[in-house]
Amino acid sequence: MTSIKEQAAISRLLSFLQDWDNAGKVARSHILNTFIETNQGKTAPELEQEFSQGASLFLVRLTTWLRLIYMTGSCLDKLLKSIGIFLSAVSSNQYLIEFLEVGGVLTLLEILGLEKIKEEDKKESIRLLQVIANSGRKYKELICESYGVRSIAEFLAKSKSEETQEEVQILLDSLVHGNPKYQNQVYKGLIALLPCASPKAQQLSLQTLRTAQSIVGTTHPSIVDCVLKVLRTMHLEVQYEAIELIKDLVNYDVCQALLKGLVALLIPSVKETSKLQPKILNDSAVLQLTASLPVFLQQAAAAKAIGVLARSNTSIAEEMLHLRVVHSLMAAMGNTDHSNSQRQASLTLEYFVQMFPVVEEHVRRSMGEELYELFLSNAEDLYMKIDSIQADILAANKVNVSKALSISGVSYSNMSFYLGPCGEDQLAYTTYFQKEGSEGKE
């Protein structure tokens, strides 16, 4: 026999559930407000006590209503917060199972892709997915098996709220930890995010990729090309994260490809640089915009990254000598269309000159005494002091330290290799700047 007190509690529960069932949108909104205010932070046993051991009866009504109205966005924020109280409660495993059994994960993922849904509601959906992912490995696998990585990554790329994007990063970080079955899927999803148009999404993806890379251990072939393309960004916080990832990647099997790629970026292809000439001829105002031409931003960032890598690891610095990095840095120093490329290349070359006598000898000979003295006196400000003739000398330099090392039999590194003479793109690049310089003098 149930006591009078228990019967009264059951009666209150049935009355509450009946009120919910008969209520319209406005009335349900008020019920949800009261529920959130009075039950936030409660444990599962406390919720059961509140609902006379029938909390699941209210949860099933919430999940049912969610399935009915999530596409319209009506009361979605309050509804998701109410469900969150159940899922995040201590000892709430039974609630979690009940939510998942009715397709809760798929609903949350679908919400992320709906254009009509408010950003705030999508952020609440992400927070519920965090709760589910943090509940254990099998729940992370369930999210991934529901094509969750793709949905979450696409939402990160499209989101306009930095606060929401940071919540997505937390979710992706959770999915890559303790999820051996699908950690590679998350890793590839992060790489796929790198070309996206959102600087914040790029920054967060790069940060999470560093963690994912250490967990996965092996590298994906596309990561080198993707991270090098990110260097075209004009956002310094994105560039910083890209260089930090590059510093990590040189410890993996893509080191050689990464170094070759960085050095190649110092001399942009003629296809890229020739885009400037017709614009300049047609409109002098375009001259002011060349500073942000992506290929030159990439050139400057590559020069900076090479300097960071060389200073942190002498073996890498020695290896890059065999990639004709000195020749390429000097060519970048002659790029009068982008002062930051000149500045970054000059600072990096200064390090190589100070570290390696053979570099000092070749650079002095190529520059000539007057230009070399200017370089030594203040490498960072050299770009402001050189004239067009000196810029041409730098752009058209023929320095080949790797050839000198090969002839003399000197090897600075156990991993050294010789790439041979510069390619057609390099020659075309220096010819272009020589031509520009001669036209300027006329």
Side-chain angles (χ1 to χ4, degrees):
M1 294 288 293
T2 58
S3 67
I4 295 174
K5 190 176 180 180
E6 288 172 336
Q7 286 178 346
I10 293 170
S11 178
R12 285 196 302 272
L13 172 62
L14 293 175
S15 176
F16 172 80
L17 295 176
Q18 189 174 22
D19 288 344
W20 173 268
D21 293 340
N22 295 331
K25 288 183 181 178
V26 176
R28 286 187 175 185
S29 178
H30 290 314
I31 293 172
L32 291 176
N33 278 335
T34 305
F35 174 77
I36 293 167
E37 289 171 10
T38 57
N39 296 286
Q40 192 75 52
K42 284 188 176 180
T43 64
E46 288 171 336
L47 288 170
E48 288 299 325
Q49 185 177 2
E50 177 74 21
F51 285 91
S52 306
Q53 309 307 311
S56 291
L57 295 174
F58 185 48
L59 176 59
V60 74
R61 282 164 168 79
L62 295 179
T63 54
T64 301
W65 200 38
L66 175 65
R67 290 293 295 169
L68 291 172
I69 61 95
Y70 77 92
M71 297 188 75
T72 67
S74 176
C75 290
L76 196 53
D77 183 39
K78 296 173 187 176
L79 186 52
L80 291 172
K81 283 181 179 177
S82 299
I83 293 172
I85 288 173
F86 283 99
L87 300 190
S88 58
V90 177
S91 306
S92 63
N93 193 56
Q94 183 57 39
Y95 300 146
L96 181 59
I97 292 171
E98 290 170 4
F99 180 69
L100 299 180
E101 283 178 346
V102 295
V105 165
L106 287 172
T107 304
L108 295 176
L109 292 172
E110 285 176 34
I111 287 171
L112 300 180
L114 296 175
E115 293 183 8
K116 294 181 180 179
I117 304 298
K118 292 185 292 187
E119 189 86 8
E120 194 64 30
D121 296 341
K122 293 181 179 182
K123 181 168 72 174
E124 205 58 48
S125 181
I126 287 292
R127 285 174 175 163
L128 287 185
L129 287 166
Q130 289 173 8
V131 172
I132 295 168
N134 292 335
S135 297
R137 173 176 167 178
K138 64 179 180 180
Y139 300 109
K140 293 177 183 180
E141 291 178 354
L142 176 61
I143 293 172
C144 295
E145 286 164 0
S146 305
Y147 302 99
V149 174
R150 179 175 178 177
S151 299
I152 294 163
E154 286 178 355
F155 175 58
L156 175 57
K158 293 176 182 178
S159 174
K160 305 299 181 185
S161 164
E162 292 193 357
E163 187 180 340
T164 302
Q165 288 176 311
E166 287 168 2
E167 293 290 344
V168 179
Q169 182 196 27
I170 293 170
L171 174 57
L172 287 170
D173 186 72
S174 175
L175 289 174
V176 84
H177 282 90
N179 188 12
K181 188 175 180 180
Y182 292 105
Q183 63 189 21
N184 263 297
Q185 187 183 100
V186 182
Y187 172 64
K188 292 174 185 176
L190 290 166
I191 295 174
L193 274 169
L194 296 183
C196 77
S198 167
K200 186 66 177 179
Q202 287 181 312
Q203 180 190 9
L204 297 174
S205 300
L206 288 163
Q207 288 175 353
T208 314
L209 256 176
R210 294 184 64 197
T211 303
Q213 185 62 71
S214 65
I215 292 171
V216 173
T218 56
T219 56
H220 190 271
S222 68
I223 195 168
V224 172
D225 188 50
C226 287
V227 76
L228 291 180
K229 284 181 178 176
V230 172
L231 295 178
R232 293 186 170 212
T233 181
M234 64 178 66
H235 299 273
L236 292 178
E237 69 277 10
V238 179
Q239 182 192 104
Y240 170 81
E241 296 298 343
I243 292 175
E244 288 299 301
L245 178 58
I246 287 170
K247 284 164 61 178
D248 290 347
L249 289 174
V250 294
N251 298 311
Y252 294 87
D253 58 350
V254 294
C255 178
Q256 179 178 321
L258 198 55
L259 297 182
K260 287 169 67 176
L262 284 170
V263 174
L265 294 180
L266 294 174
I267 302 184
S269 69
V270 67
K271 181 181 177 181
E272 294 284 355
T273 53
S274 62
K275 293 176 184 177
L276 282 175
Q277 193 169 15
K279 292 182 182 178
I280 292 172
L281 291 174
N282 294 334
D283 185 0
S284 60
V286 175
L287 282 168
Q288 299 171 7
L289 302 177
T290 59
S292 8
L293 189 72
V295 70
F296 289 157
L297 293 171
Q298 190 180 31
Q299 181 187 47
K304 181 178 179 180
I306 288 169
V308 169
L309 293 176
R311 290 180 181 89
S312 65
N313 190 319
T314 307
S315 295
I316 289 176
E318 293 167 353
E319 175 61 22
M320 284 192 283
L321 292 180
H322 292 266
L323 299 174
R324 296 201 68 191
V325 70
V326 176
H327 160 74
S328 300
L329 286 169
M330 290 179 68
M333 287 167 65
N335 178 9
T336 54
D337 280 321
H338 193 58
S339 59
N340 196 39
S341 287
Q342 294 178 291
R343 176 175 165 273
Q344 295 293 349
S346 188
L347 287 170
T348 299
L349 182 64
E350 181 183 38
Y351 171 79
F352 281 97
V353 167
Q354 292 169 348
M355 279 296 295
F356 304 104
V358 65
V359 174
E360 191 270 344
E361 177 189 342
H362 279 74
V363 170
R364 180 193 292 270
R365 190 188 309 150
S366 178
M367 285 186 176
E369 286 301 324
E370 182 183 351
L371 180 55
Y372 186 71
E373 288 304 319
L374 274 177
F375 170 69
L376 284 186
S377 63
N378 192 338
E380 186 171 7
D381 295 337
L382 179 67
Y383 71 95
M384 294 189 288
K385 299 175 182 177
I386 60 175
D387 56 32
S388 58
I389 295 175
Q390 291 169 323
D392 286 346
I393 290 171
L394 291 167
N397 82 89
K398 297 293 189 286
V399 171
N400 194 342
V401 174
S402 61
K403 185 177 180 181
L405 294 175
S406 178
I407 292 172
S408 63
V410 176
S411 176
Y412 284 93
S413 170
N414 292 330
M415 50 187 285
S416 297
F417 59 92
Y418 174 56
L419 288 187
C422 62
E424 293 179 8
D425 281 343
Q426 292 177 326
L427 292 173
Y429 174 85
T430 53
T431 304
Y432 168 75
F433 280 109
Q434 280 180 299
K435 184 178 179 183
E436 285 294 299
S438 62
E439 287 176 356
K441 283 178 276 188
E442 290 174 4

